[in-house]
PDB file of all heavy atoms in Angstrom:
ATOM      1  N   PHE A  16      -2.219  26.009  -4.832  1.00  0.00           N
ATOM      2  CA  PHE A  16      -1.365  27.080  -4.317  1.00  0.00           C
ATOM      3  C   PHE A  16      -1.519  28.378  -5.108  1.00  0.00           C
ATOM      4  O   PHE A  16      -1.435  29.466  -4.550  1.00  0.00           O
ATOM      5  CB  PHE A  16       0.099  26.640  -4.262  1.00  0.00           C
ATOM      6  CG  PHE A  16       0.386  25.771  -3.077  1.00  0.00           C
ATOM      7  CD1 PHE A  16       0.697  24.437  -3.248  1.00  0.00           C
ATOM      8  CD2 PHE A  16       0.326  26.291  -1.799  1.00  0.00           C
ATOM      9  CE1 PHE A  16       0.951  23.629  -2.149  1.00  0.00           C
ATOM     10  CE2 PHE A  16       0.571  25.491  -0.692  1.00  0.00           C
ATOM     11  CZ  PHE A  16       0.878  24.157  -0.868  1.00  0.00           C
ATOM     12  N   ARG A  17      -1.782  28.283  -6.389  1.00  0.00           N
ATOM     13  CA  ARG A  17      -2.025  29.491  -7.189  1.00  0.00           C
ATOM     14  C   ARG A  17      -3.281  30.190  -6.677  1.00  0.00           C
ATOM     15  O   ARG A  17      -3.317  31.400  -6.512  1.00  0.00           O
ATOM     16  CB  ARG A  17      -2.168  29.143  -8.666  1.00  0.00           C
ATOM     17  CG  ARG A  17      -2.340  30.402  -9.515  1.00  0.00           C
ATOM     18  CD  ARG A  17      -2.498  30.139 -11.020  1.00  0.00           C
ATOM     19  NE  ARG A  17      -1.798  28.969 -11.515  1.00  0.00           N
ATOM     20  CZ  ARG A  17      -2.389  27.922 -12.111  1.00  0.00           C
ATOM     21  NH1 ARG A  17      -3.698  27.911 -12.295  1.00  0.00           N
ATOM     22  NH2 ARG A  17      -1.685  26.907 -12.543  1.00  0.00           N
ATOM     23  N   GLU A  18      -4.317  29.418  -6.398  1.00  0.00           N
ATOM     24  CA  GLU A  18      -5.563  29.987  -5.885  1.00  0.00           C
ATOM     25  C   GLU A  18      -5.327  30.663  -4.527  1.00  0.00           C
ATOM     26  O   GLU A  18      -5.807  31.768  -4.283  1.00  0.00           O
ATOM     27  CB  GLU A  18      -6.615  28.889  -5.742  1.00  0.00           C
ATOM     28  CG  GLU A  18      -7.933  29.377  -5.190  1.00  0.00           C
ATOM     29  CD  GLU A  18      -8.914  28.226  -4.981  1.00  0.00           C
ATOM     30  OE1 GLU A  18      -8.871  27.250  -5.746  1.00  0.00           O
ATOM     31  OE2 GLU A  18      -9.717  28.337  -4.041  1.00  0.00           O
ATOM     32  N   LYS A  19      -4.579  30.017  -3.669  1.00  0.00           N
ATOM     33  CA  LYS A  19      -4.272  30.600  -2.352  1.00  0.00           C
ATOM     34  C   LYS A  19      -3.455  31.873  -2.486  1.00  0.00           C
ATOM     35  O   LYS A  19      -3.663  32.847  -1.769  1.00  0.00           O
ATOM     36  CB  LYS A  19      -3.520  29.596  -1.468  1.00  0.00           C
ATOM     37  CG  LYS A  19      -4.347  28.458  -0.993  1.00  0.00           C
ATOM     38  CD  LYS A  19      -5.418  28.963  -0.059  1.00  0.00           C
ATOM     39  CE  LYS A  19      -6.244  27.823   0.462  1.00  0.00           C
ATOM     40  NZ  LYS A  19      -7.419  28.286   1.170  1.00  0.00           N
ATOM     41  N   ARG A  20      -2.521  31.883  -3.380  1.00  0.00           N
ATOM     42  CA  ARG A  20      -1.635  33.020  -3.564  1.00  0.00           C
ATOM     43  C   ARG A  20      -2.392  34.222  -4.129  1.00  0.00           C
ATOM     44  O   ARG A  20      -2.137  35.362  -3.757  1.00  0.00           O
ATOM     45  CB  ARG A  20      -0.481  32.622  -4.478  1.00  0.00           C
ATOM     46  CG  ARG A  20       0.680  33.560  -4.456  1.00  0.00           C
ATOM     47  CD  ARG A  20       1.876  33.042  -5.246  1.00  0.00           C
ATOM     48  NE  ARG A  20       1.552  32.502  -6.558  1.00  0.00           N
ATOM     49  CZ  ARG A  20       1.709  31.234  -6.922  1.00  0.00           C
ATOM     50  NH1 ARG A  20       2.172  30.355  -6.082  1.00  0.00           N
ATOM     51  NH2 ARG A  20       1.398  30.833  -8.130  1.00  0.00           N
ATOM     52  N   LEU A  21      -3.351  33.983  -5.009  1.00  0.00           N
ATOM     53  CA  LEU A  21      -4.072  35.064  -5.673  1.00  0.00           C
ATOM     54  C   LEU A  21      -5.312  35.523  -4.921  1.00  0.00           C
ATOM     55  O   LEU A  21      -5.818  36.609  -5.175  1.00  0.00           O
ATOM     56  CB  LEU A  21      -4.457  34.643  -7.093  1.00  0.00           C
ATOM     57  CG  LEU A  21      -3.289  34.335  -8.021  1.00  0.00           C
ATOM     58  CD1 LEU A  21      -3.810  33.856  -9.370  1.00  0.00           C
ATOM     59  CD2 LEU A  21      -2.389  35.534  -8.182  1.00  0.00           C
ATOM     60  N   SER A  22      -5.798  34.717  -3.986  1.00  0.00           N
ATOM     61  CA  SER A  22      -7.005  35.117  -3.259  1.00  0.00           C
ATOM     62  C   SER A  22      -6.645  36.208  -2.246  1.00  0.00           C
ATOM     63  O   SER A  22      -5.596  36.167  -1.617  1.00  0.00           O
ATOM     64  CB  SER A  22      -7.635  33.919  -2.552  1.00  0.00           C
ATOM     65  OG  SER A  22      -6.792  33.472  -1.525  1.00  0.00           O
ATOM     66  N   PRO A  23      -7.519  37.200  -2.129  1.00  0.00           N
ATOM     67  CA  PRO A  23      -7.229  38.273  -1.173  1.00  0.00           C
ATOM     68  C   PRO A  23      -7.327  37.744   0.250  1.00  0.00           C
ATOM     69  O   PRO A  23      -8.326  37.159   0.642  1.00  0.00           O
ATOM     70  CB  PRO A  23      -8.314  39.315  -1.464  1.00  0.00           C
ATOM     71  CG  PRO A  23      -9.419  38.550  -2.085  1.00  0.00           C
ATOM     72  CD  PRO A  23      -8.789  37.396  -2.807  1.00  0.00           C
ATOM     73  N   GLY A  24      -6.278  37.934   0.986  1.00  0.00           N
ATOM     74  CA  GLY A  24      -6.259  37.509   2.375  1.00  0.00           C
ATOM     75  C   GLY A  24      -6.767  38.629   3.267  1.00  0.00           C
ATOM     76  O   GLY A  24      -7.026  39.742   2.813  1.00  0.00           O
ATOM     77  N   PRO A  25      -6.946  38.340   4.515  1.00  0.00           N
ATOM     78  CA  PRO A  25      -7.396  39.390   5.429  1.00  0.00           C
ATOM     79  C   PRO A  25      -6.330  40.476   5.533  1.00  0.00           C
ATOM     80  O   PRO A  25      -5.139  40.187   5.612  1.00  0.00           O
ATOM     81  CB  PRO A  25      -7.585  38.660   6.760  1.00  0.00           C
ATOM     82  CG  PRO A  25      -6.724  37.452   6.656  1.00  0.00           C
ATOM     83  CD  PRO A  25      -6.688  37.089   5.194  1.00  0.00           C
ATOM     84  N   VAL A  26      -6.768  41.714   5.492  1.00  0.00           N
ATOM     85  CA  VAL A  26      -5.850  42.846   5.580  1.00  0.00           C
ATOM     86  C   VAL A  26      -5.704  43.222   7.044  1.00  0.00           C
ATOM     87  O   VAL A  26      -6.677  43.562   7.704  1.00  0.00           O
ATOM     88  CB  VAL A  26      -6.386  44.040   4.765  1.00  0.00           C
ATOM     89  CG1 VAL A  26      -5.470  45.236   4.912  1.00  0.00           C
ATOM     90  CG2 VAL A  26      -6.541  43.652   3.312  1.00  0.00           C
ATOM     91  N   THR A  27      -4.499  43.114   7.533  1.00  0.00           N
ATOM     92  CA  THR A  27      -4.242  43.507   8.910  1.00  0.00           C
ATOM     93  C   THR A  27      -3.082  44.488   8.918  1.00  0.00           C
ATOM     94  O   THR A  27      -2.123  44.346   8.150  1.00  0.00           O
ATOM     95  CB  THR A  27      -3.882  42.298   9.794  1.00  0.00           C
ATOM     96  OG1 THR A  27      -2.741  41.649   9.244  1.00  0.00           O
ATOM     97  CG2 THR A  27      -5.040  41.303   9.869  1.00  0.00           C
ATOM     98  N   ALA A  28      -3.189  45.465   9.760  1.00  0.00           N
ATOM     99  CA  ALA A  28      -2.123  46.454   9.874  1.00  0.00           C
ATOM    100  C   ALA A  28      -0.979  45.863  10.683  1.00  0.00           C
ATOM    101  O   ALA A  28      -1.193  45.095  11.623  1.00  0.00           O
ATOM    102  CB  ALA A  28      -2.648  47.712  10.554  1.00  0.00           C
ATOM    103  N   ARG A  29       0.225  46.210  10.292  1.00  0.00           N
ATOM    104  CA  ARG A  29       1.378  45.764  11.058  1.00  0.00           C
ATOM    105  C   ARG A  29       1.354  46.466  12.409  1.00  0.00           C
ATOM    106  O   ARG A  29       0.976  47.632  12.500  1.00  0.00           O
ATOM    107  CB  ARG A  29       2.665  46.135  10.336  1.00  0.00           C
ATOM    108  CG  ARG A  29       2.892  45.297   9.091  1.00  0.00           C
ATOM    109  CD  ARG A  29       4.195  45.621   8.425  1.00  0.00           C
ATOM    110  NE  ARG A  29       5.302  45.563   9.356  1.00  0.00           N
ATOM    111  CZ  ARG A  29       6.457  46.170   9.185  1.00  0.00           C
ATOM    112  NH1 ARG A  29       6.657  46.895   8.114  1.00  0.00           N
ATOM    113  NH2 ARG A  29       7.420  46.064  10.061  1.00  0.00           N
ATOM    114  N   PRO A  30       1.750  45.778  13.457  1.00  0.00           N
ATOM    115  CA  PRO A  30       1.786  46.451  14.758  1.00  0.00           C
ATOM    116  C   PRO A  30       2.854  47.539  14.735  1.00  0.00           C
ATOM    117  O   PRO A  30       3.876  47.414  14.054  1.00  0.00           O
ATOM    118  CB  PRO A  30       2.143  45.339  15.734  1.00  0.00           C
ATOM    119  CG  PRO A  30       2.735  44.260  14.915  1.00  0.00           C
ATOM    120  CD  PRO A  30       2.166  44.389  13.533  1.00  0.00           C
ATOM    121  N   PRO A  31       2.631  48.613  15.473  1.00  0.00           N
ATOM    122  CA  PRO A  31       3.626  49.682  15.499  1.00  0.00           C
ATOM    123  C   PRO A  31       4.891  49.210  16.219  1.00  0.00           C
ATOM    124  O   PRO A  31       4.839  48.344  17.091  1.00  0.00           O
ATOM    125  CB  PRO A  31       2.934  50.807  16.269  1.00  0.00           C
ATOM    126  CG  PRO A  31       1.892  50.127  17.086  1.00  0.00           C
ATOM    127  CD  PRO A  31       1.477  48.915  16.304  1.00  0.00           C
TER     128      PRO A  31
END
Side-chain angles (χ1 to χ4, degrees):
F16 281 112
R17 183 180 329 120
E18 179 184 328
K19 289 294 181 190
R20 196 173 46 245
L21 298 177
S22 67
V26 177
T27 58
R29 289 183 52 202

